[in-house]
Each structure stands twice: as structure tokens, then as C-alpha cells.
Amino acid sequence: MTNALIVGIIRLALALPYTARVRFVGWIVERVIGPIAGYRRRALRNLAMIWPELSATRRAEIASKCLNNVGRTFIENYSAKDFPARMEKVTPTGPGSEALQKAVDEGRPVILVTGHFGNYEATRAALVAKGYDIGGLYRDMKNPYFNAHYVKTMEAFGGPVFPQGRKGTAGFVRHLKGGGQLVLLFDQHVQYAPILDFLGEPARTAVSAAELAIRYDALLIPFYGIRQDDGLSFECVLEAPVPHSDPLTMTQALNDSLAARVRAAPEQWFWVHRRWRADQP
């Protein structure tokens, strides 16, 4: 039933012109789905923990805009033709862009790391349009009916996609060993992962991106697809590669990078995640 509702919204939205589609799903997630599903309440709880000094009005504003961004991101990623076509026109910037090209020229693998910020698929779509062979690593959704068509949206952007876990490991390892590029999202709670600082609070954080970078001598580049004021376009930024040291130090650098982006544009991060859990000291 949940999947049927989601599919219904997707089909209705995809029947609309692109601009109206993105605005419509942003609105419905902000005003209807987010509050009913408890996402708004969770976002407000996280915001109160991280920034108690903010007024309740400001936290409510951030939560509302966060949900709107969630909705926009969702339908953008289902716009398998329109969204990549728009991202073809965007040229990623930042010191990581030159480092990425140099690594590709040398046949060196690259791991591009980001969080659920802005639209995390925007930069991958822009880079794929420029000819980069960028694979994606994803976590299976709990709802198998939804997961089946969700995965197809990632495949539509180009580049291979691999599920997290044993069945996807062999594929993305081959991709990296062949000098390919891989996108990883690292900002969700992972049980038993090391506890690192994120936005001033302890958060279990997967160190797998750093471990892979060390193991396969891959560049580790933080990147962001930053939504612009019009709510439809993006700035794609590749930051300078994180120097190789040890997994904890490198992953903390990734946390610090994302935290800086969140502080600069808090509405663009997915505050609806259970990022900080009670199983931590």
C-alpha cells in the first residue's frame, strides 16, 4: 500500500512539466507526507539537540525547507530524462575537479564522498554527462516494492550501481581496481561504527570510504550538489582530496567537511535521518 501511494504520486508528478513537478512534490512532502510520517517531528528534535540556541521559529523554518528539499530531490531523481539533461549544462567546480581529471588520466581510482545534502545525485549526473565512469553504492530500502523501482532511477543516470553488502562488494571492487570512480554517501548511522564528532555531537560514522581509499590507493574527494535559490538548479563542487592517513582521521575530515556545508545551508541537509542514536555513550 505504501509503495502504491508513492507510485501514484510519482506518476502524477511526472505528468507535470518539470518545474511544476519539482515544486509540487517539494510542497506535498513539506506540508503533507513529512508531518504525517513523523519526519518533521524528527527534524525538529535533531535541530533542537544540535542548535538549542536557535529560536523555535528558525528551527521550524529549517525543518520545513528541509522537507521541501527532500521532496524535490526525490522527484528529481525519478526524472530520468529531464534531470540528467539539465545537469549536462553544469560544470563542476572546486579543486577536486582538477584532481579527479588527473586521477582519471593516470588510471587511478577515485572515491567521491558526500552526504544527504542538496541533491547528492546532481554532481554524479553532471560528471557522467562529462564522460566519467561513475558508479554508485546504495543501501537497499526496507520496502522491497519501492526498492525495485528506486534502484532503476540510479541506473538511469549512467554508470554502474552496486548494493551495499556482500553481493555488491565484488562489483564495486572490480570497478575501483579498473580505475573507475565510485560515489559513496557516509552520513547515516551505522551500528557499531566508530563514534566521531558531527556537528558537535558524537555520531557513529562508517569509515569504509576511507578504508577503501587506503586499500586501493584511491583519491578521496568530498563533493556536494548545492541547490540554488531558484530551487531548481545546482552548483556542483568537488573539494580538495582528503590526504591519506588513517581511516578515523580521514573520516573525521569528511564529517568536518559536511558539517561546514550544513552550517552554511542547514535547510539542505536531511535532518530527518536518525543520525544520532541512543546507543552511544
Side-chain angles (χ1 to χ4, degrees):
M1 290 177 63
T2 301
N3 180 65
L5 174 61
I6 292 170
V7 169
I9 293 172
I10 292 169
R11 287 178 177 172
L12 173 61
L14 292 178
L16 299 172
Y18 181 82
T19 297
R21 172 193 318 165
V22 173
R23 289 172 176 164
F24 165 68
V25 181
W27 180 88
I28 202 169
V29 172
E30 175 187 346
R31 302 296 181 89
V32 181
I33 296 175
I36 291 175
Y39 296 151
R40 179 180 175 83
R41 183 170 60 253
R42 190 183 302 156
L44 288 170
R45 186 166 60 243
N46 283 334
L47 283 160
M49 180 183 70
I50 297 301
W51 292 324
E53 72 279 6
L54 291 184
S55 68
T57 300
R58 175 60 179 143
R59 292 199 296 266
E61 178 187 26
I62 294 172
S64 293
K65 290 183 177 180
C66 158
L67 291 172
N68 192 285
N69 181 63
V70 170
R72 287 174 182 250
T73 297
F74 177 79
I75 200 61
E76 285 164 347
N77 293 350
Y78 268 89
S79 301
K81 294 182 179 179
D82 295 328
F83 188 55
R86 293 174 70 92
M87 296 313 301
E88 283 180 9
K89 305 170 186 176
V90 177
T91 299
T93 60
S97 298
E98 184 177 347
L100 170 62
Q101 185 57 55
K102 184 174 185 291
V104 170
D105 293 342
E106 295 173 350
R108 184 181 180 185
V110 179
I111 300 174
L112 297 144
V113 187
T114 192
H116 291 78
F117 181 89
N119 186 333
Y120 44 88
E121 288 283 20
T123 303
R124 184 165 83 97
L127 290 171
V128 167
K130 301 290 186 292
Y132 291 98
D133 183 23
I134 300 184
L137 189 66
Y138 68 90
R139 178 184 293 185
D140 280 327
M141 298 292 181
K142 292 181 180 179
N143 186 323
Y145 301 101
F146 174 69
N147 191 71
H149 54 83
Y150 172 75
V151 172
K152 290 180 181 178
T153 68
M154 292 184 288
E155 293 173 337
F157 283 22
V161 295
F162 311 100
Q164 284 185 348
R166 187 176 300 174
K167 64 181 180 180
T169 300
F172 76 71
V173 166
R174 281 197 304 271
H175 186 68
L176 281 179
K177 283 183 174 179
Q181 302 89 50
L182 184 69
V183 165
L184 289 174
L185 277 74
F186 79 106
D187 63 334
Q188 288 181 286
H189 173 91
V190 175
Q191 193 174 19
Y192 307 125
I195 296 174
L196 300 174
D197 176 85
F198 181 58
L199 289 170
E201 291 290 333
R204 292 198 181 275
T205 309
V207 298
S208 50
E211 290 174 339
L212 287 168
I214 293 169
R215 185 178 307 161
Y216 298 108
D217 190 30
L219 283 189
L220 186 66
I221 300 179
F223 76 93
Y224 302 96
I226 305 166
R227 192 177 299 279
Q228 300 300 284
D229 291 341
D230 62 4
L232 297 166
S233 58
F234 292 88
E235 178 187 10
C236 296
V237 178
L238 277 65
E239 296 185 348
V242 174
H244 283 205
S245 53
D246 62 84
L248 290 179
T249 301
M250 294 168 70
T251 305
Q252 185 59 62
L254 296 176
N255 267 358
D256 294 343
S257 168
L258 177 58
R261 296 289 175 177
V262 175
R263 291 187 180 101
E267 300 87 352
Q268 297 205 35
W269 189 59
F270 285 22
W271 291 94
V272 301
H273 283 161
R274 295 186 179 95
R275 185 66 187 94
W276 299 272
R277 299 287 186 98
D279 70 335
Q280 300 170 185

